[in-house]
Amino acid sequence: MPNPLHDALFAPRIDQETAFLVMDDADDLTHGAFLRMAARFAHVLRDMGLEPGDRLAVQVDKSPEALAVYAACVMAGVVFLPLNTGYTPREVEYFIRDSGAKMVLGRAGAREALLRDCQRLGVRFETLEADGSGSFPETATFARHHFEPVGRAPDDLAALLYTSGTTGLSKGAMLTHRNLLSNAGVLAEFWRFTRDDVLIHALPIFHTHGLFVATNIMLLSGGPMIFLPRFRPAEVRALLPGATALMGVPTFYTRLLDDPEFSRGDCRNMRLFISGSAPLLPETFRTFEARTGHRIVERYGLTETSMNTSNPVEGERRPGTVGVPLPGVDLKITDPDSGAALPEGEVGMIEVRGPNVFAGYWQMPDKTAEELRPDGFFITGDLGVQAGDGYVTIVGRGKDLIISGGFNIYPRDVEQVLDAQPGVLESAVIGAPHPDMGEGVVAVLVPEPGAMLDVATIEAEISGPLARFKQPRHYVVIDELPRNSMGKVQKKALRDLYAGVFADVS
Ligand code: AMP
């Protein structure tokens, strides 16, 4: 029976003993070995009672086994739900409950905190550790190496990726086989990937960038990935001569440039440097070119849509832009209030349509209707402008999202925790330019009348409920938040006021 992702990405490689995951401190895995592991995991998923369409929530460290769980879900028709490893148990409990996940795969360290929630919700909990051990892989030891994939239609769900909303409620973006496969095919072709490519994979695999963009392209084109647990500039620099491509967030590039010795020689075999997930400063683009001779290819995408635009491999790579719409992607700039298409060159809301655009938010028909138009255009929340020759420039975000070190932070998530602290009347959380992280989180606090706020106590208190990457790096206490006539907090005024707080950080 057909299973689109399996048939296109896995089936052609099942008997290939060519390198797929090149590891630093563990054995390398061939395509065949990786897919045999995935098949064993698929048997275990089925034996543990997961049926096609069930959700598997996965909060584990990056490892070949973790990636094989994604492949196993595809084979077994299970919906893969990866979670940021930085989420706290409190945050994870929401995802389990909202998605109705049937099973959670987590680290043993999280077992105690999550087990109670899982038991209450009737959800099974199994473990998987960074070194590939754990109750889940142990059960798979004697499972069969072959798994007959479950039949799936192109519009069946392959993954559920949570992306927080400005309201504070996280939304599960439903991604289908068609969404993921179409984008992988278009990108592999657009970026000219072949089996001769060697990709340095230093991104997390709980986010669309490292999970789908990188992994699916490499499975499709057949080359190996140098699979690193995280991005360490010195290590990546040392590995570059053995690679042809790097996918990164802008911070990767600024960190590489921080090393004064980093230069052209390191990049002698490189074909392509790709950047995305946050804006790449034209200054970084130019410095990188001056030092290495390479013009970074910047692209633009979202969890809900995978990739929408990219600068070309052949043709002009224009700094400060995210390139042109990818083949099959319709893009228009509209008036944020009326939704009417705007004339060329005017700034407005970026809307996109294509086979890459998701199927809606999990069990949130109202939210889906707000952002996905009946004619298929998705309202991205990003403000941009398109030049006559198609190049798109992103000028800001309509949704106040903060992107720090490549991670998305929705101010509302942080504000809710801050507002609950004793003595805090209200708070506003904004991003301020940060030389290293792109943006740093700033908390603006208003005390209750007569209360004295102790920032050190608040910092300590919120470290429990809030993932580390969401915790503010700078605090300001003021008497009153600036508001417009409709009572809305004027975040732009705050951003302007505190734009320089990280200026001296390096
Ligand atoms: P995520 O859903 O985590 O992939 O985040 C999507 C958001 O990241 C988009 O809505 C943009 O605001 C931002 N983003 C992604 N790529 C770029 C880029 N190349 N330049 C500027 N912002 C970007």
Side-chain angles (χ1 to χ4, degrees), residues 463-492:
S463 64
L466 269 187
R468 181 152 166 70
F469 69 89
K470 295 185 191 172
Q471 294 167 19
R473 302 298 161 107
H474 187 86
Y475 287 79
V476 189
V477 179
I478 59 174
D479 290 338
E480 203 182 329
L481 294 176
R483 292 193 138 85
N484 69 11
S485 57
M486 300 298 290
K488 283 193 200 301
V489 175
Q490 290 180 299
K491 290 235 167 138
K492 187 174 174 330

Side-chain angles (χ1 to χ4, degrees), residues 356-477:
N356 54 315
V357 173
F358 75 142
Y361 294 113
W362 176 257
Q363 292 184 340
M364 287 189 183
D366 295 346
K367 287 275 164 222
T368 302
E370 273 170 30
E371 298 186 23
L372 199 54
R373 297 188 188 283
D375 64 1
F377 273 97
F378 173 65
I379 305 166
T380 61
D382 292 308
L383 302 173
V385 57
Q386 191 173 26
D389 57 6
Y391 281 71
V392 176
T393 302
I394 296 176
V395 298
R397 292 187 297 269
K399 294 176 181 170
D400 287 330
L401 178 73
I402 300 168
I403 303 182
S404 187
F407 287 123
N408 285 0
I409 299 154
Y410 289 85
R412 204 61 216 124
D413 280 353
V414 187
E415 288 162 4
Q416 279 174 338
V417 176
L418 289 170
D419 291 352
Q421 300 305 310
V424 175
L425 180 65
E426 60 175 348
S427 63
V429 166
I430 53 167
H434 189 292
D436 195 28
M437 312 293 286
E439 284 183 298
V441 180
V442 178
V444 184
L445 304 174
V446 177
E448 282 168 354
M452 282 289 289
L453 293 182
D454 177 10
V455 168
T457 309
I458 292 176
E459 271 186 303
E461 284 296 319
I462 64 165
S463 64
L466 269 187
R468 181 152 166 70
F469 69 89
K470 295 185 191 172
Q471 294 167 19
R473 302 298 161 107
H474 187 86
Y475 287 79
V476 189
V477 179

Side-chain angles (χ1 to χ4, degrees), residues 207 277-279 298-303 322 382 394 397 403 408:
H207 183 270
S277 294
E298 183 171 8
R299 96 298 178 279
Y300 159 65
L302 291 89
T303 299
V322 292
D382 292 308
I394 296 176
R397 292 187 297 269
I403 303 182
N408 285 0

